[in-house]
Coordinates of all heavy atoms in Angstrom, one line a residue:
M240 N 118.5 80.8 137.1 CA 118.0 81.4 138.2 C 118.6 82.7 138.5 O 117.8 83.6 138.9 CB 118.0 80.5 139.3 CG 117.2 79.3 139.3 SD 115.6 79.8 140.0 CE 114.8 78.3 140.5
D241 N 119.9 82.8 138.5 CA 120.5 84.1 138.8 C 120.1 85.2 137.9 O 120.0 86.4 138.3 CB 122.0 83.8 138.9 CG 122.6 85.0 139.6 OD1 122.2 85.6 140.5 OD2 123.9 85.3 139.1
I242 N 120.0 84.9 136.6 CA 119.8 85.8 135.6 C 118.2 86.2 135.8 O 117.9 87.4 135.7 CB 119.9 85.2 134.1 CG1 121.4 85.0 133.9 CG2 119.3 86.2 133.1 CD1 121.7 84.2 132.6
K243 N 117.4 85.4 136.2 CA 116.0 85.8 136.4 C 115.9 86.8 137.5 O 115.2 87.8 137.5 CB 115.2 84.6 136.7 CG 113.8 84.8 136.8 CD 113.0 83.6 137.1 CE 111.5 83.8 137.5 NZ 110.8 82.7 137.7
Q244 N 116.7 86.5 138.6 CA 116.5 87.3 139.7 C 117.2 88.7 139.3 O 116.7 89.7 139.9 CB 117.5 86.6 140.9 CG 117.4 87.5 142.2 CD 115.9 87.6 142.7 OE1 115.2 86.6 142.6 NE2 115.6 88.6 143.5
E245 N 118.2 88.7 138.7 CA 118.9 90.1 138.2 C 117.8 90.8 137.3 O 117.7 92.1 137.6 CB 120.1 89.8 137.4 CG 120.8 90.9 137.0 CD 121.4 91.8 138.1 OE1 121.6 91.3 139.2 OE2 121.5 93.1 137.8
L246 N 117.2 90.1 136.5 CA 116.3 90.9 135.5 C 115.1 91.4 136.4 O 114.5 92.5 136.2 CB 115.7 89.9 134.5 CG 116.8 89.6 133.4 CD1 116.0 88.7 132.4 CD2 117.0 90.9 132.6
E247 N 114.6 90.6 137.4 CA 113.5 91.1 138.4 C 114.1 92.3 139.0 O 113.1 93.3 139.3 CB 113.1 90.0 139.3 CG 112.4 88.9 138.4 CD 112.0 87.8 139.5 OE1 112.2 87.8 140.8 OE2 111.4 86.9 139.0
N248 N 115.3 92.3 139.5 CA 115.7 93.5 140.4 C 115.8 94.6 139.4 O 115.5 95.7 139.8 CB 117.0 93.1 140.8 CG 116.9 92.2 142.1 OD1 116.0 92.0 142.7 ND2 118.2 91.5 142.4
R249 N 116.2 94.6 138.1 CA 116.4 95.7 137.3 C 115.0 96.3 137.1 O 114.8 97.4 136.9 CB 117.2 95.3 136.0 CG 118.6 95.1 136.3 CD 119.3 94.8 135.0 NE 120.7 94.5 135.3 CZ 121.7 95.1 134.7 NH1 121.5 95.9 133.7 NH2 123.0 94.7 135.0
V250 N 114.0 95.3 136.8 CA 112.6 95.9 136.4 C 112.1 96.4 137.6 O 111.5 97.6 137.5 CB 111.7 94.6 135.9 CG1 110.3 95.0 135.9 CG2 112.2 94.1 134.7
K251 N 112.3 96.0 138.7 CA 111.8 96.6 140.1 C 112.4 98.0 140.2 O 111.7 99.0 140.5 CB 112.1 95.7 141.2 CG 111.4 96.2 142.5 CD 111.6 95.3 143.6 CE 110.7 94.1 143.5 NZ 110.6 93.2 144.7
S252 N 113.7 98.2 139.9 CA 114.3 99.5 140.1 C 113.8 100.4 139.1 O 113.6 101.6 139.3 CB 115.8 99.3 140.0 OG 116.1 98.9 138.8
L253 N 113.6 100.0 137.9 CA 113.1 100.7 136.9 C 111.6 101.1 137.1 O 111.2 102.4 136.9 CB 113.0 100.0 135.5 CG 112.5 100.8 134.2 CD1 113.4 102.1 134.1 CD2 112.5 99.9 133.0
E254 N 110.8 100.3 137.6 CA 109.5 100.8 138.2 C 109.5 101.7 139.2 O 108.6 102.6 139.2 CB 108.7 99.4 138.5 CG 108.3 98.5 137.5 CD 107.7 97.2 137.9 OE1 107.8 96.9 139.1 OE2 107.0 96.6 137.2
E255 N 110.4 101.5 140.2 CA 110.5 102.6 141.3 C 111.0 103.9 140.7 O 110.3 105.0 141.2 CB 111.5 102.1 142.3 CG 111.0 100.9 143.1 CD 112.0 100.3 143.9 OE1 113.2 100.7 144.0 OE2 111.7 99.4 144.7
L256 N 112.0 104.0 139.8 CA 112.3 105.2 139.1 C 111.2 105.9 138.5 O 111.0 107.1 138.7 CB 113.5 104.9 138.2 CG 113.9 106.1 137.3 CD1 114.6 107.1 138.3 CD2 114.7 105.7 136.2
I257 N 110.4 105.1 137.7 CA 109.2 105.7 137.1 C 108.2 106.2 138.0 O 107.5 107.3 137.8 CB 108.6 104.6 136.1 CG1 109.5 104.4 134.9 CG2 107.2 105.1 135.6 CD1 109.0 103.1 134.1
E258 N 108.0 105.4 139.0 CA 107.1 105.9 140.1 C 107.5 107.3 140.7 O 106.6 108.1 141.1 CB 106.8 104.8 141.1 CG 105.9 105.2 142.3 CD 105.9 104.0 143.4 OE1 106.0 102.8 143.0 OE2 105.7 104.2 144.5
R259 N 108.9 107.4 141.1 CA 109.3 108.6 141.7 C 109.3 109.7 140.7 O 109.1 110.8 141.1 CB 110.7 108.4 142.2 CG 110.7 107.6 143.6 CD 112.2 107.7 144.0 NE 113.2 107.4 143.0 CZ 114.0 106.4 142.8 NH1 113.9 105.4 143.8 NH2 114.8 106.3 141.8
K260 N 109.8 109.5 139.4 CA 110.0 110.7 138.5 C 109.0 110.7 137.4 O 109.1 111.7 136.5 CB 111.5 110.5 137.9 CG 112.5 110.5 138.9 CD 112.9 111.7 139.4 CE 114.2 111.4 140.4 NZ 114.7 112.8 140.7
G261 N 108.3 109.7 137.2 CA 107.3 109.7 136.1 C 106.2 110.7 136.2 O 106.0 111.4 137.1
I262 N 105.4 110.8 135.0 CA 104.3 111.6 134.9 C 103.2 111.2 136.0 O 102.9 110.1 136.3 CB 103.5 111.3 133.5 CG1 104.6 111.7 132.5 CG2 102.3 112.1 133.4 CD1 104.1 111.5 131.1
G263 N 102.8 112.2 136.7 CA 101.8 112.0 137.7 C 102.3 111.6 139.1 O 101.5 111.1 140.0
S264 N 103.6 111.6 139.2 CA 104.2 111.0 140.5 C 103.9 112.1 141.7 O 103.7 111.6 142.8 CB 105.8 111.0 140.4 OG 106.4 112.2 140.0
K265 N 103.8 113.4 141.4 CA 103.4 114.2 142.4 C 102.0 114.1 142.9 O 101.7 114.2 144.1 CB 103.7 115.7 142.0 CG 105.1 116.2 141.7 CD 105.2 117.6 141.3 CE 106.7 117.8 141.1 NZ 106.9 119.2 140.6
Q266 N 101.2 113.9 141.9 CA 99.8 113.6 142.3 C 99.6 112.4 143.1 O 98.7 112.3 144.0 CB 99.0 113.5 141.0 CG 98.7 114.8 140.4 CD 99.8 115.3 139.4 OE1 100.8 114.6 139.3 NE2 99.8 116.6 139.0
L267 N 100.4 111.4 142.7 CA 100.3 110.0 143.5 C 100.8 110.2 144.8 O 100.2 109.7 145.7 CB 101.3 108.9 142.6 CG 101.2 107.5 143.2 CD1 99.8 106.9 143.3 CD2 102.2 106.7 142.4
D268 N 101.9 111.0 145.1 CA 102.2 111.3 146.3 C 101.3 112.0 147.2 O 101.0 111.6 148.3 CB 103.6 112.1 146.4 CG 104.8 111.3 146.0 OD1 104.8 110.0 146.0 OD2 105.8 112.0 145.5
K269 N 100.7 113.1 146.6 CA 99.5 113.8 147.3 C 98.4 112.8 147.8 O 97.8 112.9 148.8 CB 99.1 114.9 146.4 CG 99.9 116.0 146.4 CD 99.4 117.2 145.5 CE 100.4 118.3 145.3 NZ 99.7 119.3 144.5
A270 N 98.1 111.8 146.8 CA 97.0 111.0 146.9 C 97.3 110.1 148.2 O 96.5 109.7 148.9 CB 96.6 110.2 145.7
R271 N 98.5 109.6 148.1 CA 99.0 108.6 149.3 C 98.9 109.4 150.6 O 98.5 108.8 151.6 CB 100.3 108.0 148.9 CG 100.4 107.1 148.0 CD 101.8 106.5 147.7 NE 101.7 105.4 146.7 CZ 102.7 105.1 145.9 NH1 103.9 105.8 146.1 NH2 102.6 104.3 145.1
R272 N 99.4 110.6 150.5 CA 99.4 111.3 151.8 C 98.1 111.6 152.3 O 97.7 111.5 153.5 CB 100.1 112.7 151.6 CG 100.9 113.3 152.7 CD 101.7 114.5 152.4 NE 102.6 114.3 151.3 CZ 102.5 115.1 150.2 NH1 101.6 116.1 150.1 NH2 103.3 114.9 149.2
T273 N 97.2 112.0 151.4 CA 95.6 112.3 151.7 C 95.2 111.0 152.3 O 94.3 111.1 153.3 CB 95.0 112.7 150.6 OG1 95.7 114.0 150.0 CG2 93.6 113.1 150.9
Q274 N 95.4 109.8 151.6 CA 94.7 108.6 152.2 C 95.3 108.3 153.5 O 94.5 107.8 154.3 CB 95.2 107.6 151.1 CG 94.5 106.2 151.4 CD 92.9 106.2 151.3 OE1 92.5 106.8 150.4 NE2 92.2 105.6 152.4
R275 N 96.5 108.5 153.8 CA 97.1 108.2 155.1 C 96.4 109.1 156.1 O 96.1 108.6 157.2 CB 98.6 108.5 155.1 CG 99.3 108.2 156.3 CD 100.8 108.2 156.3 NE 101.3 109.5 155.8 CZ 102.1 109.6 154.7 NH1 102.5 108.5 154.1 NH2 102.5 110.8 154.3
Y276 N 96.2 110.4 155.8 CA 95.6 111.3 156.9 C 94.2 111.0 157.0 O 93.6 111.0 158.2 CB 95.8 112.8 156.4 CG 97.2 113.3 156.4 CD1 97.6 114.2 155.6 CD2 98.1 112.8 157.3 CE1 98.8 114.7 155.5 CE2 99.4 113.3 157.4 CZ 99.8 114.2 156.5 OH 101.2 114.7 156.5
L277 N 93.5 110.6 156.0 CA 92.2 110.1 156.1 C 92.1 108.9 157.0 O 91.0 108.8 157.8 CB 91.5 109.8 154.8 CG 90.0 109.5 154.7 CD1 89.2 110.7 155.1 CD2 89.8 109.1 153.1
N278 N 92.8 107.9 156.8 CA 92.9 106.7 157.6 C 93.1 107.0 159.0 O 92.4 106.5 160.0 CB 94.0 105.7 157.1 CG 93.5 105.1 155.8 OD1 92.4 105.1 155.3 ND2 94.5 104.6 155.2
I279 N 94.0 107.9 159.3 CA 94.4 108.3 160.8 C 93.1 109.0 161.3 O 92.7 108.8 162.5 CB 95.5 109.2 160.8 CG1 96.8 108.3 160.5 CG2 95.7 109.8 162.2 CD1 98.1 109.2 160.3
T280 N 92.4 109.9 160.5 CA 91.2 110.5 161.0 C 90.0 109.6 161.3 O 89.6 109.7 162.3 CB 90.8 111.6 159.9 OG1 91.8 112.5 159.7 CG2 89.6 112.3 160.4
V281 N 89.9 108.6 160.5 CA 88.8 107.7 160.6 C 89.0 106.8 161.9 O 88.1 106.6 162.7 CB 88.7 106.8 159.4 CG1 87.7 105.6 159.7 CG2 88.1 107.4 158.2
I282 N 90.3 106.4 162.0 CA 90.7 105.7 163.2 C 90.4 106.5 164.5 O 89.9 105.9 165.5 CB 92.2 105.1 163.3 CG1 92.3 104.0 162.1 CG2 92.5 104.7 164.5 CD1 93.6 103.6 161.7
G283 N 90.8 107.8 164.5 CA 90.7 108.6 165.6 C 89.2 108.9 166.0 O 88.9 108.8 167.2
I284 N 88.3 109.1 164.9 CA 86.9 109.2 165.2 C 86.3 108.0 165.6 O 85.4 108.0 166.6 CB 86.2 109.8 163.9 CG1 86.8 111.3 163.5 CG2 84.7 109.8 164.0 CD1 86.3 111.7 162.2
S285 N 86.7 106.9 165.2 CA 86.0 105.7 165.7 C 86.4 105.5 167.1 O 85.6 105.0 167.8 CB 86.6 104.5 164.7 OG 86.2 104.6 163.5
L286 N 87.7 105.6 167.4 CA 88.0 105.4 168.8 C 87.4 106.4 169.7 O 86.9 105.9 170.7 CB 89.8 105.7 168.9 CG 90.3 105.4 170.3 CD1 90.1 103.9 170.7 CD2 91.8 105.8 170.3
A287 N 87.2 107.6 169.4 CA 86.5 108.7 170.0 C 85.0 108.2 170.4 O 84.4 108.3 171.4 CB 86.5 109.9 169.5
A288 N 84.4 107.6 169.3 CA 83.0 107.1 169.3 C 82.9 106.0 170.3 O 82.0 105.8 171.0 CB 82.5 106.8 167.9
V289 N 83.8 105.2 170.2 CA 83.7 103.8 171.1 C 83.9 104.3 172.6 O 83.2 104.0 173.4 CB 84.9 102.9 170.8 CG1 85.1 101.8 171.9 CG2 84.5 102.2 169.4
V290 N 84.8 105.3 172.8 CA 85.0 105.8 174.2 C 83.8 106.5 174.7 O 83.3 106.4 175.8 CB 86.3 106.7 174.3 CG1 86.3 107.4 175.6 CG2 87.4 105.8 174.1
G291 N 83.1 107.2 173.8 CA 81.9 108.1 174.1 C 80.8 107.1 174.4 O 80.0 107.4 175.4
I292 N 80.6 106.1 173.6 CA 79.6 105.2 173.7 C 79.6 104.4 175.1 O 78.8 104.3 175.9 CB 79.5 104.2 172.6 CG1 78.8 104.9 171.4 CG2 78.4 103.0 172.9 CD1 79.0 104.2 170.1
A293 N 80.9 104.1 175.3 CA 81.2 103.3 176.7 C 80.9 104.3 177.8 O 80.4 103.8 178.8 CB 82.7 102.8 176.6
A294 N 81.2 105.4 177.8 CA 81.0 106.4 178.8 C 79.5 106.6 179.1 O 79.0 106.7 180.1 CB 81.7 107.7 178.5
W295 N 78.8 106.8 178.0 CA 77.3 107.0 178.0 C 76.6 105.7 178.6 O 75.9 105.8 179.5 CB 76.9 107.3 176.5 CG 75.5 107.3 176.4 CD1 74.7 108.3 177.0 CD2 74.5 106.7 175.7 NE1 73.3 108.1 176.7 CE2 73.2 107.1 175.9 CE3 74.7 105.5 174.8 CZ2 72.1 106.6 175.2 CZ3 73.7 105.0 174.1 CH2 72.4 105.4 174.3
L296 N 77.1 104.5 178.2 CA 76.4 103.4 178.7 C 76.8 103.2 180.1 O 76.0 102.7 181.0 CB 77.0 102.1 177.8 CG 76.4 102.0 176.5 CD1 77.0 100.9 175.9 CD2 74.9 101.9 176.5
S297 N 78.1 103.5 180.6 CA 78.4 103.4 182.1 C 77.7 104.3 182.9 O 77.5 104.1 184.0 CB 79.9 103.4 182.0 OG 80.4 104.7 181.9
S298 N 77.4 105.6 182.3 CA 76.8 106.6 183.2 C 75.2 106.2 183.3 O 74.6 106.6 184.2 CB 76.9 108.0 182.6 OG 76.1 108.0 181.3
G299 N 74.7 105.4 182.5 CA 73.4 105.0 182.5 C 73.1 104.0 183.5 O 72.0 103.6 184.0
E300 N 74.1 103.3 184.0 CA 74.0 102.1 184.9 C 74.1 102.6 186.4 O 74.1 101.7 187.2 CB 75.0 101.1 184.6 CG 74.9 100.4 183.2 CD 76.1 99.6 182.9 OE1 77.0 99.3 183.7 OE2 76.0 98.9 181.7
D301 N 74.0 103.8 186.7 CA 74.1 104.3 188.1 C 72.8 104.2 188.9 O 72.7 104.7 189.9 CB 74.7 105.7 188.1 CG 76.2 105.7 187.6 OD1 76.9 104.6 187.8 OD2 76.7 106.8 187.4
D302 N 71.9 103.6 188.2 CA 70.5 103.5 189.0 C 70.6 103.0 190.3 O 70.6 102.4 191.1 CB 69.5 102.8 188.1 CG 69.3 103.5 186.7 OD1 69.4 104.7 186.6 OD2 68.9 102.8 185.8

């Protein structure tokens, strides 16, 4: 069991090293950053749409 855990830790550290320094690592970082910004933008637009729709619906009930 202990040897298995040690091997898993070494493989994981090797995978992390390849992810940080390997071919395409800069492009992967850019893609992750872009995806994060895109997610934040979509959440912001959705929130603004919900607030706008709620304001529009509440303004129509003043009859």
Side-chain angles (χ1 to χ4, degrees):
M240 284 278 198
D241 191 33
I242 293 173
K243 182 179 177 183
Q244 186 66 31
E245 180 66 28
L246 286 175
E247 287 178 2
N248 289 340
R249 287 182 185 231
V250 167
K251 189 177 279 188
S252 67
L253 181 60
E254 287 174 345
E255 290 172 358
L256 176 69
I257 291 171
E258 183 179 327
R259 281 189 318 246
K260 304 280 183 176
I262 296 173
S264 62
K265 290 181 183 177
Q266 288 82 3
L267 184 60
D268 287 339
K269 286 181 182 179
R271 285 183 179 151
R272 210 173 313 121
T273 302
Q274 184 66 43
R275 181 175 52 235
Y276 293 147
L277 183 63
N278 290 341
I279 291 170
T280 303
V281 167
I282 290 171
I284 290 172
S285 299
L286 184 62
V289 168
V290 169
I292 290 171
W295 177 60
L296 290 176
S297 68
S298 69
E300 295 177 2
D301 289 342
D302 294 333

